Amino acid sequence: MKIARFDNNRVGMVRDDDVIQDLTGALAQLPAHRYPFPHHDALIANLEILNNATTTRVVPLARVELLSPVANPGKIMAAPVNYTKHLEEALADKGIHHGNLVAEIHKAGIFLKATSSVVGPSEGVHLVHTDRRNDHEVELAVVIGTKGRNIAAAEALSYVAGYCIGLDMTIRGTEDRSLRKSPDSYTVLGPWLVTADEIPDPGALELSLAVNGKVRQQANTKDLILGVPELIAWASSFYTLHPGDVLLTGTPQGVGPVRPGDVMVASLERVGEMRLLVS
Ligand code: MN
């Protein structure tokens, strides 16, 4: 199932004939939470409410504004330098590493991005500090579906709700990643969530990113240094994972700068494609 959030917080199922079946009425079944709110995303924790939901209308995909498929992620975890060829390019280019220590992921660990940085493709990326180099990083994004900690790699994929494309936008420079990668709109999730049953092996997906029609990044998740099960096992040995938590699995080689006015098109096999404006 492809689950989209769109327009004024509507939720629907994307069909292969490029329409969305609006299932927003099902949201009334979500448990009513009162302050203090839980750490998880209420819809991702209760995706089964969409299974037998009534369709109120059918809308052409081209006519909706797509939002992030996860409205309230509790945390955004991200893997640095998790493709060997990106590690090599980062070490070779001072414009990327800025004298920062670029360590392989086993030493560098996982980092966090602000949840306030999340947008969907229709919102676009709004650059800050445009005098500096602002790079695109296309990544496979994993959305956690079941709460867990100390998850074994062999069990890890059963904790996944689904997958989407993630853009980990980055200002290059010397500051900590948590500053440079967390301005508003520097995490794009979309175009929708594809539930895990449709992607039995997240370790064999082509992904790519083009800027103004020119392909910059093209790779396959089979080249991840730490695959999805290992990343979930590792992250959950530090943090409890909650439904709606997002794990960005790292970007492949080909990162490069974008400028206001650029158009990015990102695609991920079995998920789809999203187009967004840089401003
Ligand atoms: Mn990244």
Side-chain angles (χ1 to χ4, degrees):
M1 194 176 185
K2 296 182 171 72
I3 300 162
R5 205 163 65 87
F6 61 100
D7 294 349
N8 187 21
N9 291 306
R10 306 199 70 80
V11 171
M13 179 174 74
V14 180
R15 299 196 327 215
D16 289 339
D17 52 349
D18 291 340
V19 295
I20 296 184
Q21 281 180 235
D22 193 329
L23 307 175
T24 307
L27 298 181
Q29 296 170 52
L30 290 179
H33 290 294
R34 299 187 62 174
Y35 177 84
F37 298 107
H39 290 298
H40 64 251
D41 182 277
L43 176 58
I44 303 296
N46 296 279
L47 278 180
E48 68 283 353
I49 65 166
L50 299 179
N51 289 341
N52 297 306
T54 308
T55 302
T56 50
R57 60 185 187 135
V58 177
V59 211
L61 192 51
R63 239 187 268 160
V64 305
E65 308 227 303
L66 291 165
L67 306 172
S68 161
V70 188
N72 297 117
K75 56 184 167 294
I76 311 287
M77 302 163 279
V81 288
N82 197 21
Y83 287 84
T84 306
K85 284 183 185 164
H86 175 56
L87 173 62
E88 289 164 4
E89 81 177 347
L91 288 168
D93 184 352
K94 189 163 189 304
I96 298 177
H97 67 68
H98 279 268
N100 295 344
L101 181 69
V102 179
E104 59 173 289
I105 183 164
H106 305 82
K107 291 178 192 154
I110 290 166
F111 64 93
L112 294 173
K113 301 188 71 173
T115 53
S116 54
S117 68
V118 174
V119 292
S122 70
E123 295 159 277
V125 169
H126 306 289
L127 300 181
V128 296
H129 297 283
T130 49
D131 53 321
R132 295 172 55 175
R133 179 171 160 177
N134 276 268
D135 276 13
H136 54 76
E137 296 190 354
V138 67
E139 314 198 0
L140 165 66
V142 180
V143 178
I144 298 298
T146 307
K147 183 177 178 178
R149 63 187 298 267
N150 292 321
I151 299 165
E155 309 295 324
L157 294 184
S158 69
Y159 286 78
V160 175
Y163 303 91
C164 64
I165 305 173
L167 294 187
D168 174 19
M169 300 302 298
T170 304
I171 303 168
R172 298 299 173 197
T174 55
E175 305 96 332
D176 191 86
R177 283 187 178 96
S178 58
L179 184 68
R180 294 183 287 104
K181 288 171 171 277
S182 284
D184 296 357
S185 82
Y186 275 48
T187 304
V188 187
L189 299 176
W192 39 71
L193 181 80
V194 178
T195 50
D197 55 295
E198 294 192 12
I199 304 183
D201 182 8
L205 302 173
E206 287 288 324
L207 78 165
S208 70
L209 183 132
V211 178
N212 302 332
K214 257 192 139 168
V215 176
R216 296 253 188 102
Q217 296 188 272
Q218 190 155 34
N220 191 293
T221 56
K222 70 176 165 46
D223 293 324
L224 283 166
I225 297 170
L226 288 183
V228 173
E230 291 77 24
L231 286 171
I232 290 172
W234 199 27
S236 72
S237 74
F238 288 87
Y239 318 119
T240 296
L241 305 188
H242 297 273
D245 281 2
V246 175
L247 176 58
L248 298 171
T249 55
T251 198
Q253 67 283 0
V255 299
V258 288
R259 303 283 310 158
D262 286 347
V263 174
M264 297 189 285
V265 175
S267 73
L268 176 62
E269 188 179 356
R270 288 176 179 260
V271 172
E273 185 177 282
M274 63 181 187
R275 178 183 183 278
L276 60 155
L277 270 171
V278 180
S279 61

XYZ file of all heavy atoms in Angstrom, residues 70-134:
487
model
N 4.975 11.068 7.108
C 4.965 10.988 8.575
C 4.765 12.406 9.099
O 5.588 13.290 8.870
C 6.273 10.401 9.143
C 6.141 10.167 10.644
C 6.637 9.109 8.430
N 3.649 12.612 9.812
C 3.340 13.964 10.286
C 4.153 14.334 11.526
O 4.615 15.462 11.651
C 1.844 14.072 10.598
N 4.307 13.386 12.435
C 4.929 13.677 13.731
C 6.010 12.664 14.104
O 5.853 11.916 15.071
C 3.855 13.686 14.841
C 2.827 14.769 14.641
O 1.630 14.494 14.447
N 3.254 16.015 14.662
N 7.105 12.636 13.346
C 8.169 11.700 13.723
C 8.753 12.087 15.081
O 8.968 13.262 15.357
C 9.208 11.877 12.606
C 8.942 13.229 12.028
C 7.465 13.479 12.205
N 8.970 11.084 15.921
C 9.545 11.365 17.240
C 11.018 11.714 17.161
O 11.523 12.517 17.943
N 11.707 11.113 16.220
C 13.108 11.469 15.960
C 13.494 11.081 14.542
O 12.916 10.166 13.957
C 14.072 10.841 16.989
C 14.024 9.337 17.128
C 14.975 8.887 18.253
C 14.751 7.437 18.675
N 13.415 7.227 19.327
N 14.476 11.821 14.039
C 15.038 11.534 12.716
C 16.471 11.091 12.944
O 17.338 11.900 13.304
C 15.067 12.795 11.817
C 13.727 13.526 11.816
C 15.515 12.426 10.402
C 12.636 12.864 11.076
N 16.715 9.813 12.761
C 18.076 9.279 12.897
C 18.704 9.220 11.515
O 18.011 8.975 10.524
C 18.028 7.866 13.489
C 17.337 7.797 14.839
S 16.860 6.097 15.282
C 15.336 5.926 14.344
N 20.004 9.439 11.430
C 20.634 9.440 10.109
C 22.028 8.844 10.176
O 22.771 9.059 11.136
C 20.685 10.862 9.552
N 22.345 8.091 9.135
C 23.649 7.446 9.039
C 24.569 8.306 8.182
O 24.202 8.677 7.070
C 23.493 6.074 8.402
N 25.736 8.667 8.685
C 26.697 9.389 7.857
C 27.518 8.405 7.027
O 27.632 7.232 7.390
C 27.572 10.093 8.885
C 27.588 9.153 10.059
C 26.266 8.415 10.044
N 28.059 8.872 5.929
C 28.999 8.098 5.094
C 28.800 6.582 5.154
O 29.641 5.852 5.618
C 30.470 8.468 5.414
C 30.778 9.853 4.876
C 30.780 8.427 6.915
N 27.661 6.153 4.618
C 27.322 4.733 4.678
C 27.430 4.041 3.315
O 26.922 2.952 3.126
C 25.912 4.572 5.275
C 25.633 3.171 5.762
O 26.552 2.391 6.024
N 24.365 2.830 5.861
N 28.052 4.732 2.356
C 28.393 4.107 1.065
C 29.895 4.339 0.861
O 30.380 5.467 1.031
C 27.650 4.760 -0.099
C 26.174 4.455 -0.208
C 25.240 5.173 0.533
C 25.705 3.465 -1.086
C 23.877 4.915 0.410
C 24.343 3.216 -1.215
C 23.427 3.938 -0.468
O 22.091 3.692 -0.599
N 30.633 3.320 0.482
C 32.091 3.431 0.356
C 32.506 4.535 -0.607
O 33.404 5.325 -0.319
C 32.682 2.089 -0.117
O 32.220 1.085 0.779
C 34.187 2.124 -0.101
N 31.815 4.636 -1.758
C 32.222 5.647 -2.748
C 31.946 7.066 -2.252
O 32.644 7.999 -2.625
C 31.507 5.404 -4.085
C 32.103 4.241 -4.851
C 31.419 4.070 -6.199
C 31.925 2.843 -6.930
N 31.014 2.477 -8.037
N 30.918 7.246 -1.416
C 30.684 8.575 -0.842
C 31.749 8.892 0.205
O 32.209 10.026 0.311
C 29.284 8.675 -0.229
C 29.049 9.981 0.475
N 29.200 11.204 -0.148
C 28.690 10.266 1.754
C 28.934 12.177 0.720
N 28.635 11.637 1.876
N 32.181 7.890 0.950
C 33.278 8.092 1.908
C 34.528 8.563 1.166
O 35.188 9.524 1.571
C 33.562 6.772 2.658
C 34.779 6.742 3.594
C 34.612 7.755 4.733
C 34.976 5.349 4.188
N 34.797 7.933 0.022
C 35.988 8.306 -0.761
C 35.876 9.736 -1.277
O 36.829 10.511 -1.212
C 36.185 7.321 -1.922
C 36.650 5.947 -1.440
C 36.493 4.853 -2.500
O 36.089 5.158 -3.652
O 36.768 3.694 -2.152
N 34.684 10.120 -1.785
C 34.553 11.482 -2.316
C 34.605 12.515 -1.191
O 35.123 13.611 -1.369
C 33.285 11.655 -3.174
C 32.006 11.884 -2.409
C 30.772 12.115 -3.292
O 30.898 12.345 -4.505
O 29.665 12.048 -2.718
N 34.075 12.144 -0.025
C 34.087 13.083 1.111
C 35.517 13.317 1.599
O 35.888 14.433 1.964
C 33.213 12.553 2.244
N 36.317 12.262 1.586
C 37.716 12.396 2.009
C 38.515 13.221 1.005
O 39.434 13.956 1.366
C 38.355 11.005 2.166
C 37.878 10.188 3.372
C 38.357 8.736 3.264
C 38.370 10.803 4.681
N 38.146 13.127 -0.285
C 38.928 13.778 -1.337
C 38.578 15.246 -1.536
O 39.373 16.003 -2.090
C 38.718 13.018 -2.658
N 37.396 15.689 -1.088
C 36.908 17.028 -1.410
C 36.813 17.877 -0.152
O 35.962 17.666 0.695
C 35.530 16.900 -2.078
C 34.970 18.251 -2.537
O 35.554 19.299 -2.212
O 33.928 18.227 -3.233
N 37.696 18.889 -0.055
C 37.670 19.758 1.126
C 36.350 20.521 1.224
O 35.901 20.886 2.316
C 38.857 20.727 1.096
C 39.005 21.503 2.391
C 40.374 22.153 2.537
C 40.556 22.730 3.944
N 39.516 23.683 4.330
N 35.695 20.738 0.065
C 34.387 21.405 0.060
C 33.329 20.591 0.775
O 32.304 21.108 1.195
N 33.555 19.288 0.915
C 32.620 18.436 1.657
C 33.071 18.292 3.105
O 32.298 18.494 4.028
C 32.489 17.038 0.993
C 31.914 17.177 -0.425
C 31.625 16.121 1.851
C 31.810 15.860 -1.189
N 34.366 17.998 3.309
C 34.750 17.631 4.690
C 35.159 18.810 5.552
O 35.085 18.740 6.777
C 35.831 16.545 4.682
C 37.165 16.950 4.142
N 37.984 17.848 4.784
C 37.829 16.571 3.019
C 39.107 17.998 4.082
N 39.020 17.243 2.998
N 35.606 19.941 4.932
C 35.954 21.142 5.693
C 36.880 20.862 6.869
O 36.783 21.507 7.911
C 34.692 21.849 6.211
C 34.053 22.693 5.161
N 34.337 24.020 4.991
C 33.154 22.372 4.200
C 33.622 24.495 3.979
N 32.913 23.514 3.473
N 37.750 19.891 6.721
C 38.666 19.592 7.808
C 38.028 18.803 8.937
O 38.689 18.460 9.913
N 36.702 18.528 8.830
C 36.055 17.667 9.837
C 36.617 16.261 9.688
O 37.011 15.846 8.605
C 34.545 17.593 9.627
C 33.855 18.929 9.845
O 34.437 19.831 10.437
N 32.645 19.046 9.347
N 36.610 15.537 10.775
C 37.015 14.148 10.717
C 35.932 13.362 9.970
O 34.781 13.353 10.379
C 37.178 13.616 12.145
C 37.616 12.169 12.272
C 39.060 11.995 11.804
C 37.502 11.719 13.724
N 36.273 12.776 8.828
C 35.316 11.923 8.127
C 35.676 10.481 8.446
O 36.666 9.959 7.964
C 35.350 12.154 6.604
C 34.358 11.229 5.907
C 35.019 13.607 6.289
N 34.889 9.881 9.297
C 35.192 8.519 9.722
C 34.181 7.574 9.119
O 33.065 7.964 8.801
C 35.127 8.432 11.244
N 34.572 6.345 8.939
C 33.600 5.367 8.470
C 32.520 5.217 9.541
O 32.717 5.536 10.710
C 34.279 4.038 8.166
C 34.995 3.438 9.345
C 35.495 2.042 9.017
O 34.655 1.150 8.909
O 36.714 1.871 8.889
N 31.363 4.741 9.110
C 30.179 4.803 9.961
C 30.361 4.064 11.294
O 29.836 4.504 12.311
C 28.932 4.281 9.204
C 27.689 4.417 10.088
C 29.119 2.876 8.676
C 26.397 4.307 9.353
N 31.145 3.005 11.307
C 31.330 2.264 12.566
C 31.914 3.159 13.651
O 31.649 2.980 14.829
C 32.255 1.055 12.356
C 31.795 0.144 11.275
N 32.050 0.392 9.945
C 31.083 -0.995 11.314
C 31.510 -0.570 9.210
N 30.925 -1.413 10.012
N 32.741 4.131 13.229
C 33.340 5.042 14.203
C 32.503 6.297 14.383
O 32.451 6.871 15.461
C 34.739 5.444 13.738
C 35.741 4.298 13.787
C 37.089 4.764 13.254
C 38.019 3.577 13.021
N 39.023 3.856 11.992
N 31.869 6.755 13.298
C 31.152 8.034 13.348
C 29.824 7.930 14.089
O 29.361 8.895 14.673
C 30.909 8.545 11.931
N 29.190 6.762 14.057
C 27.904 6.594 14.723
C 26.749 7.179 13.935
O 26.900 7.607 12.796
N 25.595 7.181 14.573
C 24.372 7.708 13.969
C 24.124 9.083 14.577
O 24.437 9.308 15.739
C 23.199 6.743 14.274
C 23.397 5.443 13.478
C 21.850 7.369 13.984
C 22.520 4.297 13.926
N 23.603 10.009 13.772
C 23.303 11.339 14.320
C 21.810 11.630 14.198
O 21.068 10.876 13.561
C 24.149 12.415 13.629
C 23.873 12.599 12.158
C 22.958 13.537 11.727
C 24.535 11.831 11.202
C 22.694 13.714 10.373
C 24.274 11.999 9.843
C 23.356 12.941 9.429
N 21.370 12.724 14.830
C 19.964 13.094 14.827
C 19.753 14.406 14.096
O 20.610 15.286 14.126
C 19.437 13.253 16.263
C 19.389 11.994 17.121
C 19.005 12.348 18.556
C 18.401 10.983 16.556
N 18.598 14.513 13.436
C 18.186 15.770 12.818
C 16.939 16.264 13.545
O 16.145 15.464 14.041
C 17.839 15.561 11.336
C 18.981 15.012 10.489
C 18.615 15.027 9.002
C 18.583 16.441 8.440
N 18.390 16.482 6.976
N 16.734 17.578 13.566
C 15.554 18.146 14.215
C 14.292 17.706 13.476
O 14.246 17.726 12.243
C 15.636 19.668 14.230
N 13.254 17.331 14.229
C 11.994 16.945 13.587
C 11.329 18.158 12.913
O 10.553 17.998 11.980
C 11.015 16.332 14.609
O 10.865 17.242 15.699
C 11.546 15.018 15.134
N 11.673 19.348 13.359
C 11.116 20.560 12.732
C 11.696 20.813 11.340
O 11.238 21.704 10.624
C 11.355 21.780 13.627
O 12.728 21.894 13.940
N 12.681 20.019 10.937
C 13.259 20.183 9.593
C 12.455 19.444 8.524
O 12.742 19.567 7.337
C 14.709 19.691 9.573
O 14.779 18.280 9.734
N 11.441 18.663 8.919
C 10.751 17.777 7.970
C 9.694 18.517 7.151
O 8.864 19.237 7.705
C 10.087 16.599 8.715
C 9.247 15.761 7.751
C 11.140 15.729 9.372
N 9.757 18.315 5.842
C 8.704 18.785 4.931
C 8.396 17.680 3.924
O 9.129 16.692 3.823
C 9.119 20.060 4.147
C 9.243 21.270 5.063
C 10.387 19.823 3.342
N 7.327 17.883 3.164
C 7.015 17.010 2.043
C 7.420 17.678 0.746
O 7.782 18.865 0.731
N 7.352 16.940 -0.372
C 7.840 17.473 -1.642
C 7.140 18.753 -2.093
O 7.775 19.625 -2.695
C 7.591 16.338 -2.642
C 6.798 15.306 -1.939
C 6.943 15.534 -0.467
N 5.854 18.917 -1.796
C 5.144 20.114 -2.290
C 5.643 21.386 -1.617
O 5.441 22.479 -2.135
C 3.639 19.984 -2.066
O 3.342 20.078 -0.680
N 6.279 21.234 -0.456
C 6.746 22.415 0.277
C 8.096 22.925 -0.222
O 8.445 24.084 -0.009
C 6.810 22.107 1.774
C 5.428 21.844 2.360
C 5.472 21.056 3.656
O 5.554 19.809 3.587
O 5.446 21.668 4.726
N 8.873 22.045 -0.858
C 10.166 22.459 -1.389
C 11.201 22.700 -0.308
O 10.907 22.627 0.887
N 12.427 22.961 -0.763
C 13.542 23.220 0.156
C 13.852 24.709 0.111
O 14.031 25.278 -0.963
C 14.789 22.411 -0.260
C 16.017 22.865 0.523
C 14.549 20.918 -0.044
N 13.884 25.337 1.277
C 14.194 26.766 1.373
C 15.583 26.916 1.980
O 15.783 26.660 3.171
C 13.144 27.484 2.221
C 11.753 27.245 1.723
N 11.296 27.813 0.539
C 10.750 26.480 2.181
C 10.051 27.396 0.321
N 9.712 26.587 1.297
N 16.527 27.311 1.156
C 17.914 27.369 1.616
C 18.125 28.538 2.574
O 17.532 29.611 2.418
C 18.861 27.514 0.424
C 18.814 26.386 -0.615
C 19.831 26.662 -1.725
C 19.079 25.021 0.026
N 18.985 28.303 3.562
C 19.460 29.385 4.420
C 20.966 29.482 4.200
O 21.593 28.541 3.703
C 19.135 29.137 5.909
C 17.624 29.109 6.120
C 19.768 27.844 6.416
N 21.556 30.607 4.536
C 22.999 30.798 4.338
C 23.392 30.433 2.903
O 24.239 29.574 2.656
C 23.798 29.985 5.363
C 23.554 30.424 6.773
N 24.112 31.560 7.309
C 22.756 29.906 7.730
C 23.694 31.721 8.549
N 22.863 30.742 8.837
N 22.743 31.117 1.952
C 22.950 30.780 0.539
C 24.337 31.167 0.037
O 24.718 30.818 -1.075
C 21.886 31.464 -0.348
O 21.824 32.843 0.024
C 20.532 30.827 -0.166
N 25.106 31.885 0.856
C 26.492 32.178 0.482
C 27.372 30.956 0.681
O 28.522 30.941 0.231
C 27.021 33.352 1.331
C 26.842 33.121 2.824
O 25.785 32.565 3.230
O 27.764 33.456 3.587
N 26.847 29.936 1.354
C 27.633 28.730 1.599
C 27.143 27.586 0.727
O 26.106 27.664 0.092
C 27.539 28.359 3.083
C 28.184 29.419 3.958
C 27.947 29.173 5.423
N 28.381 27.829 5.837
C 28.355 27.420 7.103
N 27.936 28.232 8.061
N 28.753 26.209 7.417
N 27.939 26.519 0.706
C 27.565 25.381 -0.133
C 26.455 24.571 0.539
O 26.617 24.074 1.656
C 28.819 24.507 -0.354
C 28.545 23.283 -1.205
C 29.826 22.570 -1.579
N 29.528 21.192 -1.958
C 30.417 20.326 -2.380
N 31.697 20.671 -2.490
N 30.060 19.090 -2.700
N 25.323 24.459 -0.137
C 24.174 23.668 0.324
C 24.035 22.459 -0.591
O 23.769 22.607 -1.782
C 22.897 24.506 0.249
C 22.690 25.392 1.469
O 22.041 24.985 2.429
N 23.248 26.592 1.440
